[in-house]
């Protein structure tokens, strides 16, 4: 068995401590995109972060960041190092937080959530106060973002996604089915009539939605069991789902909207459904998280809570909503 002298053990411990400090500082800067924000997050001075990064770069004999007066970005070597380090750091953070949970007897820590603007604002956000009342030691950070979620780079614990799930890198749990319904206001229906077929939509004013990618979202239908898509000529296009809905309520045209947005408006007669028999039936609202063997307690209790609460909401428009 190899043995170390006291001096060698001290040197090894010092080297490990320096490397560990450098990796922690590196992950913080890479995640925050700024030395100043990384220092705030770690609760140390900016100079201490810079020194730790410099020592790490010296140890690795490579440059990890490109720094200017306006920005801090990873070099190609830095990106590769980040990919190697992130899983290990996440496991360490997870282990520490799990131990804290066990010692305190109650879930605690920060929970980072990401949701599309519409679903996040309408469904997720109103439920958070009830969750916080049950778990006051869990701090919730909700970001509304329609772009694909980078769980590692953004340190997201749970994301809410709409549509179809084909990402094998995450666990996707369907909360409720997602309906897509073409809708109009009663005033528009009285003034212009309503299409009797998918083809007749082309004869009407339409309001469309622009995705975060810049592409205008196609309308989807299922006719005779066959999926069909349509990109109608738009009278107006918005990159915000609430603005699309408001335009329809104002009588400016037809739009295809998510069921959670319009179910109550349909029941109250403020909107009418157009061709509901052709609504697609293969989409869902999903709760997603990284495929980990051991989720932090705070994440598990949130998943259980939000699943129960969302499924209890009456967000699914069942039945044929015909115009008055």
């Amino acid at each position: 068995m190899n043995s170390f002298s006291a001096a060698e053990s001290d040197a090894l411990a010092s080297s490990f401590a320096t490397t560990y400090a450098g990796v922690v500082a590196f992950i913080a800067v890479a995640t925050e995109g700024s030395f100043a924000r990384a220092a705030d997050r770690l609760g140390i001075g900016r100079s201490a972060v810079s020194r730790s990064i410099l020592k790490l770069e010296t140890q690795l004999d490579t440059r990890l960041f490109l720094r200017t007066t306006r920005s801090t970005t990873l070099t190609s070597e830095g990106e590769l190092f980040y990919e190697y380090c992130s899983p290990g750091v996440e496991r360490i953070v997870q282990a520490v937080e799990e131990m804290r949970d066990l010692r305190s007897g109650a879930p605690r820590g920060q929970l980072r959530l990401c949701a599309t603007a519409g679903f996040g604002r309408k469904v997720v956000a109103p439920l958070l106060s009830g969750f916080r009342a049950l778990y006051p030691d869990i701090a919730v950070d909700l970001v509304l973002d329609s772009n694909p979620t980078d769980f590692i780079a953004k340190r997201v614990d749970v994301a809410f996604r709409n549509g179809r799930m084909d990402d094998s890198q995450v666990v996707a749990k369907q909360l409720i089915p997602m309906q897509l319904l073409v809708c109009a206001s009663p005033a528009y229906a009285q003034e212009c009539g309503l299409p009797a077929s998918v083809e007749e939509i082309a004869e009407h004013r339409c309001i469309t939605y622009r995705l975060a990618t810049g592409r205008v979202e196609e309308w989807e239908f299922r006719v005779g069991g066959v999926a069909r898509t349509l990109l109608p000529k738009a009278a107006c296009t918005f990159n915000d789902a609430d603005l699309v809905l408001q335009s329809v309520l104002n009588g400016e045209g037809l739009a295809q909207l998510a069921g959670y947005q319009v179910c109550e408006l349909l029941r109250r007669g403020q909107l009418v459904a157009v061709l509901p028999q052709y609504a697609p039936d293969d989409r869902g609202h999903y709760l997603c998280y990284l495929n980990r063997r051991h989720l932090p307690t705070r994440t598990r209790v949130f998943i259980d809570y939000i699943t129960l609460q969302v499924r209890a909401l009456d967000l699914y428009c069942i039945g044929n909503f015909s115009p008055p």
Side-chain angles (χ1 to χ4, degrees):
M1 178 181 293
N2 293 329
S3 60
F4 297 95
S5 67
E8 288 173 329
S9 297
D10 289 344
L12 183 61
S14 176
S15 176
F16 177 79
T18 299
T19 302
Y20 179 77
V23 170
V24 170
F26 168 77
I27 292 291
V29 175
T31 303
E32 300 294 337
S34 160
F35 277 69
R37 288 196 295 272
D40 290 341
R41 176 175 149 191
L42 296 174
I44 59 177
R46 181 175 177 177
S47 60
V49 173
S50 297
R51 285 195 301 272
S52 293
I53 296 293
L54 181 59
K55 289 179 181 179
L56 181 64
E57 289 178 327
T58 300
Q59 283 183 311
L60 300 176
D61 193 23
T62 190
R63 192 172 185 181
L64 299 173
F65 292 102
L66 295 174
R67 282 157 274 189
T68 69
T69 55
R70 293 187 177 181
S71 66
T72 299
T73 58
L74 288 167
T75 63
S76 57
E77 292 82 4
E79 290 177 353
L80 182 61
F81 190 63
Y82 182 79
E83 290 180 11
Y84 287 146
C85 289
S86 292
V89 171
E90 289 293 322
R91 292 291 296 273
I92 292 171
V93 171
Q94 179 183 336
V96 170
E97 290 175 344
E98 283 291 317
M99 292 304 100
R100 286 176 177 169
D101 285 351
L102 290 174
R103 289 175 62 86
S104 68
R108 61 189 304 115
Q110 185 171 61
L111 188 69
R112 295 182 182 235
L113 312 175
C114 184
T116 58
F119 193 78
R121 187 179 295 118
K122 177 77 173 180
V123 180
V124 179
L127 297 174
L128 295 183
S129 59
F131 177 75
R132 288 277 299 121
L134 290 173
Y135 303 101
D137 292 329
I138 299 178
V140 178
D141 181 354
L142 172 62
V143 175
L144 302 182
D145 188 351
S146 297
N147 289 299
T149 304
D150 188 332
F151 284 85
I152 294 177
K154 300 296 185 182
R155 299 178 66 224
V156 171
D157 297 297
V158 176
F160 296 87
R161 294 182 180 176
N162 305 323
R164 304 179 187 89
M165 287 301 304
D166 54 5
D167 187 350
S168 61
Q169 302 301 310
V170 300
V171 176
K173 177 180 182 179
Q174 187 179 109
L175 296 172
I176 53 173
M178 178 181 181
Q179 286 185 304
L180 289 174
L181 295 168
V182 177
C183 297
S185 69
Y188 179 90
Q190 185 173 3
E191 176 190 354
C192 304
L194 295 175
S197 67
V198 173
E199 290 74 18
E200 288 185 16
I201 290 175
E203 302 171 12
H204 288 261
R205 300 195 303 269
C206 296
I207 315 299
T208 56
Y209 174 68
R210 188 177 299 281
L211 299 164
T213 60
R215 180 174 61 87
V216 175
E217 188 171 40
E218 293 181 317
W219 293 8
E220 298 184 21
F221 303 91
R222 184 166 290 276
V223 182
V226 178
R228 291 184 56 180
T229 59
L230 170 69
L231 185 58
K233 183 178 180 180
C236 291
T237 300
F238 301 98
N239 69 341
D240 182 88
D242 287 344
L243 292 179
V244 174
L245 173 59
Q246 189 58 55
S247 184
V248 175
L249 288 169
N250 291 343
E252 296 172 15
L254 312 177
Q256 189 170 62
L257 298 158
Y260 74 86
Q261 287 182 281
V262 300
C263 57
E264 189 58 35
L265 296 170
L266 288 167
R267 295 186 186 103
R268 295 202 300 257
Q270 292 177 257
L271 289 178
V272 294
V274 179
L275 306 173
Q277 67 273 29
Y278 299 136
D281 56 4
D282 60 345
R283 286 174 165 262
H285 295 289
Y286 293 89
L287 179 152
C288 306
Y289 53 94
L290 284 180
N291 189 3
R292 299 171 179 167
R293 290 184 61 190
H294 302 290
L295 285 172
T297 305
R298 65 178 183 278
T299 304
R300 290 200 300 270
V301 296
F302 177 76
I303 290 172
D304 292 343
Y305 171 84
I306 207 72
T307 299
L308 181 65
Q309 295 298 318
V310 170
R311 289 178 178 173
L313 298 174
D314 192 5
L315 299 176
Y316 194 66
C317 306
I318 299 173
N320 187 353
F321 294 95
S322 301

